[in-house]
Amino acid sequence: MNTKKLGLGILDTIVKVVFIIIVAMLIIKYAKVAYNYGYHIFNQTAVSSGTGREVTVTISEGDSVGQIADKLAEVGLITDKFLFKLQEMFSEYHGMEQPGTYTLSTAMTPEEMLSIMSGGIKNGEESSDKDGALEEGAAEETEVIEETQETEEVENSEESNGN
């Protein structure tokens, strides 16, 4: 009877150790996968370097991020559809994709593609008129320069009148 108890005790211990080893291996495996996805969400890379290959993609009205990812993967612009969905979810262009036909390159990062597909509008922005903003800044700078010149002219004329 003692031999039977000892044998069952050893078998029970072996089963527990094997179970712990399997759980540890699964944790390690999926921790690596999670780290890889987390790393690539925020450190995006293009499919190819250099100028890349240009591809035309059509986004239809009502296309979901999954459908957009499928279209981009079909033409070779992205390598991992699930990763693209995560990158879109965490990007500033989340949910901003517009229907249309876009020319994208394999040298673009997913963030750059999303920027183009959203029309360059970031969350919280009302307009993507970057040229207008530049012109406004240039106009303000010109006004400051003109005011400075006027102030210098007044000071110079006061000095010459005071002499």
Side-chain angles (χ1 to χ4, degrees), residues 123-139:
N123 284 336
E125 284 186 5
E126 292 182 19
S127 171
S128 63
D129 186 12
K130 294 177 184 170
D131 294 334
L134 291 175
E135 289 173 9
E136 275 182 36

Side-chain angles (χ1 to χ4, degrees), residues 1-155:
M1 185 117 166
N2 287 337
T3 313
K4 189 175 183 181
K5 282 185 178 181
L6 181 65
L8 288 175
I10 292 173
L11 182 62
D12 183 50
T13 304
I14 290 172
V15 169
K16 287 179 182 176
V17 169
V18 168
F19 178 75
I20 291 172
I21 290 172
I22 290 172
V23 168
M25 289 173 51
L26 289 173
I27 289 172
I28 290 170
K29 176 184 177 185
Y30 288 108
K32 287 179 183 180
V33 170
Y35 173 80
N36 191 30
Y37 273 104
Y39 178 79
H40 283 93
I41 286 171
F42 300 106
N43 185 25
Q44 300 178 7
T45 56
V47 172
S48 64
S49 59
T51 57
R53 175 178 52 91
E54 289 191 350
V55 179
T56 302
V57 177
T58 302
I59 305 300
S60 305
E61 182 74 33
D63 275 358
S64 68
V65 177
Q67 292 167 321
I68 294 171
D70 290 339
K71 290 178 182 183
L72 296 178
E74 282 176 15
V75 294
L77 290 171
I78 60 172
T79 55
D80 189 337
K81 295 182 232 180
F82 182 69
L83 178 61
F84 179 80
K85 291 181 209 177
L86 290 173
Q87 290 168 329
E88 190 275 340
M89 184 185 309
F90 290 109
S91 80
E92 57 195 333
Y93 304 104
H94 176 62
M96 308 293 284
E97 297 84 12
Q98 302 292 320
T101 301
Y102 303 100
T103 301
L104 305 172
S105 171
T106 56
M108 292 179 175
T109 64
E111 184 84 13
E112 293 168 333
M113 291 181 212
L114 288 167
S115 171
I116 290 170
M117 290 186 287
S118 70
I121 300 172
K122 298 178 184 176
N123 284 336
E125 284 186 5
E126 292 182 19
S127 171
S128 63
D129 186 12
K130 294 177 184 170
D131 294 334
L134 291 175
E135 289 173 9
E136 275 182 36
E140 289 174 7
E141 186 176 328
T142 304
E143 288 176 19
V144 170
I145 291 172
E146 289 173 355
E147 288 176 9
T148 305
Q149 289 173 344
E150 289 174 8
T151 305
E152 288 175 358
E153 289 174 4
V154 170
E155 289 174 357

